[in-house]
Amino acid sequence: MMLDRLRDIVVAPLRRLRLAQHIHARWRHRGYDKSIERFLRERTGEADRVPAGVVYEPTMRCNLKCEFCYVGDLLNLEGEWRDEMTVEALRKAFPERKGLRVSLTGGEIFVRKDIEEVLDLFRQKGYACAYLTTNGTAITEARASALADLALAGFLKHISVSIDGPGELHDAARGVKGTFERTAAGLRRLQAAVNAKGAPLKVSINTTVTRQSLDALNRMVDVAEELGVDAIGLNHLMYATPDEVDQTLKILGETDRRLVATFVTADPGLDRETVAAQVAALESRCRERRIRFDYRPKVHPQLIEGYYTPGTPLRGRCLYPFLNARVGFSGKVYFCPFIRIEVGDLSASTLEEVWNNPRYVDLRRRLLERELFPVCRRCCKVELSPEPVPVAAAALKGRRTLALTPVSAPRQ
């Protein structure tokens, strides 16, 4: 534990250096390629004995009403949140595997009153919390102190706070007046606790390309500086068209559209040239102000036109379901964040028992065969080829995508 803490204290400042970031990215890329080599070679759909990582949704409750939230239809499902797994149930269902990466998202995770017990359970199991996402409104001084302690213990690595612009713009996007001030206050409490204890915790703000936030996107640098944050993560709008949903369900032999949990729209209504200009401006300002900048999916400038043109096919691949399990609040295990086909239930089985069951393996095999399902093209986990699909190929609807040009490893 002390060695892990010492490593974090030494490595954290180095990662702020651009050369160190480049070296670290290449190291991660090599490790990622090695981890997926067998899956691509054997093409059976079978993964390793247990996942390398778990993304756990401890609750789907939320205290905000974000219009663009891709899990919006899953929030506060008529009291079903009362089925949230207890700490003891989590203890039995999750494997004893030191170093397993667990990440927490939701819902707003801090709406759950026993969330600190959940985090401590994972710490006791020897896991590493790669990241947790929050809107920041529920970070009290006591909670900020507890999070800093988890970072000091070598468990908690990264907290991402969702902010969509300055002041009123953020409030409008989040659907509740006064949200920006509450988020800023929570973030300042967290920063104060981290600084007071010398905790090696990465804190970033995360924003999404939407119609509401687009014109003020490059002002996120000013927001970051105001809040004392040195890293910005950008999410390109994640969406699928109704036709892509229907195509995916047909491929998988399903009919229920609710199984696809993304923002479904015939047209996101975003001007592609404006998106390209604003993203480039944000990246440039981050570079000038020495603020770390990353975006997902990796929509390179040459891909923006196709990405924001509904129905345009994109080349790529996704190996996410081979490495990471997606566990819902009640213990249901889903194929992936967007395709919420149930592949297991941790209230009845352990994660290890679920991980390579026939349904899971079959869906992974189909994904390998297709390289991407239609709704996967605009997901944060997709690995997009940097080259646009040629016009002639784009016209061949329903045909398999071509071989994938190598791309960067996905950011967790």
Side-chain angles (χ1 to χ4, degrees):
M1 191 70 70
M2 289 299 296
L3 286 175
D4 290 341
R5 180 183 171 187
L6 181 61
R7 180 197 61 202
D8 288 336
I9 292 172
V10 171
V11 170
L14 291 176
R15 287 183 178 172
R16 294 189 178 93
L17 302 176
R18 193 165 300 278
L19 177 60
Q21 292 172 19
H22 177 71
I23 294 171
H24 180 64
R26 294 196 61 172
W27 175 77
R28 285 189 61 199
H29 184 70
R30 285 197 296 270
Y32 176 75
D33 285 343
K34 185 176 180 180
S35 67
I36 65 173
E37 182 181 1
R38 179 178 68 82
F39 312 142
L40 295 173
R41 182 180 68 251
E42 297 179 357
R43 307 188 71 79
T44 62
E46 186 169 336
D48 292 335
R49 184 175 62 84
V50 292
V54 178
V55 178
Y56 172 49
E57 302 162 352
T59 184
M60 293 308 285
R61 290 176 283 158
C62 190
N63 56 350
L64 300 180
K65 303 173 182 178
C66 308
E67 179 183 357
F68 55 84
C69 181
Y70 79 86
V71 297
D73 291 340
L74 303 175
L75 299 176
N76 303 308
L77 289 176
E78 298 184 13
E80 290 182 20
W81 61 267
R82 293 182 175 84
D83 294 329
E84 290 168 359
M85 291 188 78
T86 66
V87 173
E88 188 55 36
L90 290 169
R91 189 187 308 278
K92 294 177 181 177
F94 276 68
E96 300 295 334
R97 185 185 179 188
K98 183 175 173 58
L100 185 146
R101 298 189 311 275
V102 63
S103 300
L104 280 72
T105 186
E108 169 50 48
I109 67 170
F110 292 122
V111 170
R112 180 163 169 167
K113 292 182 179 179
D114 65 347
I115 190 63
E116 289 169 27
E117 294 178 52
V118 173
L119 290 168
D120 195 56
L121 166 66
F122 293 145
R123 181 195 61 78
Q124 292 172 25
K125 284 181 174 284
Y127 297 177
C129 185
Y131 68 86
L132 61 83
T133 59
T134 174
N135 61 43
T137 60
I139 300 179
T140 62
E141 288 187 7
R143 181 160 284 153
S145 179
L147 293 170
D149 286 340
L150 287 171
L152 277 172
F155 168 70
L156 181 58
K157 308 296 184 182
H158 179 197
I159 292 181
S160 175
V161 181
S162 302
I163 296 182
D164 293 289
E168 292 182 2
L169 191 152
H170 179 74
D171 289 358
R174 296 285 157 175
V176 178
K177 189 173 179 57
T179 298
F180 181 84
E181 286 304 321
R182 291 166 58 203
T183 297
L187 185 50
R188 291 189 180 103
R189 293 185 192 107
L190 178 62
Q191 295 280 53
V194 166
N195 292 335
K197 299 188 178 192
L201 178 64
K202 176 183 175 183
V203 179
S204 66
I205 57 176
N206 189 66
T207 193
T208 301
V209 176
T210 67
R211 280 178 291 181
Q212 295 94 332
S213 67
L214 183 57
D215 289 341
L217 200 60
N218 62 8
R219 292 171 60 194
M220 287 301 299
V221 173
D222 302 321
V223 174
E225 291 186 330
E226 177 188 347
L227 298 175
V229 173
D230 67 353
I232 296 176
L234 174 71
N235 282 329
H236 279 281
L237 183 69
M238 292 174 278
Y239 73 97
T241 66
D243 186 51
E244 288 168 339
V245 172
D246 291 339
Q247 290 175 37
T248 301
L249 292 176
K250 184 176 180 180
I251 291 168
L252 299 175
E254 302 284 351
T255 58
D256 188 353
R257 281 190 165 194
R258 291 174 297 179
L259 294 174
V260 176
T262 186
F263 177 42
V264 179
T265 178
D267 187 348
L270 286 161
D271 180 77
R272 297 177 289 279
E273 291 185 1
T274 304
V275 172
Q278 287 290 78
V279 171
L282 174 58
E283 184 171 13
S284 176
R285 291 197 72 196
C286 285
R287 190 179 303 112
E288 291 170 2
R289 306 284 185 88
R290 297 184 180 276
I291 291 175
R292 288 174 291 168
F293 175 73
D294 196 9
Y295 58 94
R296 60 178 186 172
K298 295 300 182 187
V299 185
H300 300 286
Q302 64 270 27
L303 297 180
I304 285 181
E305 181 175 0
Y307 188 93
Y308 285 99
T309 301
T312 300
L314 299 166
R315 287 194 183 100
R317 69 181 183 187
C318 181
L319 281 299
Y320 178 89
F322 284 83
L323 299 171
N324 299 281
R326 187 80 175 200
V327 180
F329 66 92
S330 65
K332 300 291 177 64
V333 183
Y334 301 104
F335 179 61
C336 73
F338 275 14
I339 302 175
R340 293 179 77 89
I341 292 177
E342 186 180 331
V343 291
D345 187 347
L346 299 190
S347 68
S349 307
T350 66
L351 183 57
E352 186 173 347
E353 291 169 340
V354 168
W355 184 236
N356 275 307
N357 69 24
R359 181 60 166 151
Y360 225 150
V361 170
D362 177 61
L363 288 171
R364 292 193 194 108
R365 180 182 53 78
R366 294 193 197 194
L367 180 60
L368 279 178
E369 290 173 351
R370 295 272 175 173
E371 293 178 344
L372 285 179
F373 297 131
V375 297
C376 301
R377 296 166 183 161
R378 294 166 178 86
C379 168
C380 60
K381 307 302 181 186
V382 70
E383 300 173 60
L384 292 174
S385 167
E387 297 302 322
V389 177
V391 175
L396 300 176
K397 292 185 177 180
R399 297 285 292 275
R400 263 193 74 185
T401 58
L402 303 178
L404 173 67
T405 303
V407 296
S408 300
R411 174 172 169 263
Q412 292 298 323

